[in-house]
Amino acid sequence: MIHHSVQIQDQKGEMLSISRRHILALSGLFSVQIFGCGGDAVHASFNQSSSGAIIPLSGAVTTIGITGTTLNDPKGVAVNTSGELYISDSQNDRILVVSSGGILDLITLSPTLALNDPRGVAIGPDGSSYVADTGSNRILKIDTSGAVSILPSPLPLHNIPCGLAVDRNDNVYIADSGRNRIIKISSAGLVTTVAGSGTPSLTNGNGMAADFKFPTGVAVDAQGDLYIADAENHVVRKIDANGDVTTIAGSGSAGFSDGNGTTAQFNYPWGIVSDSIGNIYITDRDNNRIRKLAANGDVTTVAGSGISGLADGPGATAQFNMPTAISIDGNGCLYVADMGNNAIRKIT
C-alpha cells in the first residue's frame, strides 16, 4: 500500500531514496518510513520477498467520526476520488455520504425507489454510485446529478445481491449471493452470467461449470480479473479474462490460519478489494480480522486480534465485530464497514 514518498534504511544502515517501482525489485528485510495516507510519517518493517509482494507487519486502526447520525448495520462502504465515503446504512435503508471532515449528506431517492436493506456500494469511473438494493433484489445507479436508474436484471431476477464492483469501462459485476452466481451488467445494459452454475458447492472450472456457495464480495483489478469472497466456502476465488475460476486462497474449511494459498483459512470471507499493485484485502467476518492476499499467494493478517469488540490501535490489538465490506482510497488506506459495531473503521 505504498503510494507516496518513501525512505528505506537497508541492513547496512544506509538510507535509500527510491520509488515504488524500485521497491518491487528489492528483497530482504527493510526499515521503511512512509509518507502518505494522511501525510504523517509511519515507521514500519517490511519483508520484501523476491516475488515482489510487500508484506506489512503492522497497521493502525481508527474509527471514523460521523457527525449527526447513528449507523445501523452498515454493510457496504466505498470511497471516491475526492475521499468521500459512501456507506450502505442497511437497517436504516439509506446511503450516507461522508466527507473527509465527517460532514454528513444523504442520497435522496423518490418514494417509489425507497431502499430496502441496501448492502454493496461501488463508485464508477465517472463518479456515479451503484447500490445493491438487496431487499428489493435490484441494482441502482445514481449519477453525479442525482438521477437514479434501475439497471437491467437477469432472468430469473437477482436473489440477495450483495457485493458489487465496477471496472474502468463502467461494467458492473455483482455477487448474486442467493443464486450462487457472478453476474455482469455491461455499460450497454447487457446482462450475462460470468461464472457459477447456481449449485451451492465448491468447484473450479470455466464460467458456468464452476460452483460457488453464497458469494458475497467481488473486486476487479486493473487487468479486468475478478476476485470473489466465496463466503460459505470460506475461500477466495479468481475469475480470469477467459472465465476460468480458480481457488486462490482458503482451505475450504472454516478456521483461522495465515499461510500460502489454500493452506490459509478463513471464516466467512465477506468483502474484498484490490489495490494498484496486486494485493487483495478481505474482511474475514467471523474471525473479526482483515486479511491480505499478496500477489505471491501469501495470506497475512493486517488488523484484528480475533476478539470481537471495538478497539482502535495497532493492527494486532485492534478489535472488530463482524466486519463486512471493505474499500481502498488512492493513498492505500482501507475503510471497513464494521457491521456489529455500527461503525466505519480506517486502516493506515
Side-chain angles (χ1 to χ4, degrees):
M1 297 197 303
I2 298 175
H3 293 259
H4 287 283
S5 59
V6 179
Q7 293 178 335
I8 291 184
Q9 186 177 42
D10 67 14
Q11 290 169 305
K12 297 179 181 179
E14 298 176 349
M15 295 305 298
L16 308 176
S17 178
I18 59 178
S19 69
R20 186 184 71 189
R21 178 185 62 193
H22 294 134
I23 292 173
L24 295 177
L26 295 172
S27 63
L29 183 65
F30 297 89
S31 174
V32 182
Q33 187 177 45
I34 305 169
F35 297 88
C37 201
D40 297 328
V42 178
H43 299 269
S45 295
F46 282 80
N47 183 8
Q48 172 63 37
S49 71
S50 59
S51 68
I54 300 173
I55 305 172
L57 302 181
S58 65
V61 179
T62 55
T63 300
I64 300 290
I66 301 175
T67 303
T69 195
T70 301
L71 301 177
N72 189 357
D73 259 11
K75 293 189 179 111
V77 64
V79 57
N80 67 13
T81 55
S82 300
E84 295 172 323
L85 293 177
Y86 288 67
I87 303 165
S88 289
D89 193 12
S90 299
Q91 293 305 302
N92 283 325
D93 297 322
R94 60 183 182 172
I95 303 297
L96 308 181
V97 182
V98 180
S99 72
S100 56
I103 305 302
L104 176 71
D105 195 7
L106 294 173
I107 291 180
T108 303
L109 303 177
S110 68
T112 57
L113 291 173
L115 296 172
N116 181 7
D117 190 21
R119 299 190 186 183
V121 61
I123 308 298
D126 66 351
S128 297
S129 54
Y130 296 80
V131 178
D133 190 14
T134 305
S136 296
N137 290 314
R138 62 187 181 182
I139 308 299
L140 303 181
K141 177 181 179 179
I142 305 157
D143 70 19
T144 53
S145 72
V148 182
S149 57
I150 301 174
L151 297 191
S153 295
L155 291 175
L157 298 175
H158 297 295
N159 184 7
I160 319 177
C162 284
L164 47 81
V166 186
D167 69 16
R168 63 178 64 184
N169 297 315
D170 214 25
N171 300 305
V172 181
Y173 300 90
I174 302 120
D176 207 359
S177 305
R179 296 177 67 224
N180 302 300
R181 289 186 167 122
I182 307 304
I183 303 296
K184 175 182 176 181
I185 305 174
S186 75
S187 56
L190 179 65
V191 182
T192 55
T193 298
V194 176
S197 69
T199 300
S201 187
L202 177 56
T203 308
N204 291 323
N206 184 269
M208 294 181 69
D211 296 324
F212 300 88
K213 191 175 182 183
F214 208 80
T216 51
V218 57
V220 58
D221 68 13
Q223 289 70 47
D225 294 325
L226 300 178
Y227 298 88
I228 311 300
D230 194 0
E232 291 193 1
N233 278 324
H234 310 291
V235 297
V236 177
R237 319 286 290 279
K238 177 180 179 179
I239 308 174
D240 68 16
N242 297 318
D244 288 328
V245 180
T246 54
T247 301
I248 58 173
S251 67
S253 297
F256 170 72
S257 63
D258 289 334
N260 187 271
T262 55
T263 66
Q265 287 185 303
F266 300 89
N267 194 353
Y268 285 92
W270 205 264
I272 192 166
V273 71
S274 63
D275 70 11
S276 62
I277 56 174
N279 300 307
I280 308 299
Y281 298 90
I282 305 108
T283 54
D284 193 1
R285 193 193 71 175
D286 285 17
N287 278 323
N288 297 304
R289 291 178 167 103
I290 310 304
R291 315 288 290 282
K292 173 184 173 182
L293 170 59
N296 67 353
D298 284 340
V299 177
T300 55
T301 299
V302 175
S305 67
I307 298 172
S308 176
L310 176 59
D312 292 339
T317 59
Q319 294 176 353
F320 298 86
N321 185 1
M322 299 186 74
T324 51
I326 188 167
S327 187
I328 190 168
D329 69 14
N331 294 326
C333 302
L334 297 172
Y335 298 85
V336 177
D338 193 4
M339 182 182 69
N341 282 320
N342 294 312
I344 304 298
R345 318 290 293 281
K346 181 178 182 179
I347 305 174
T348 59

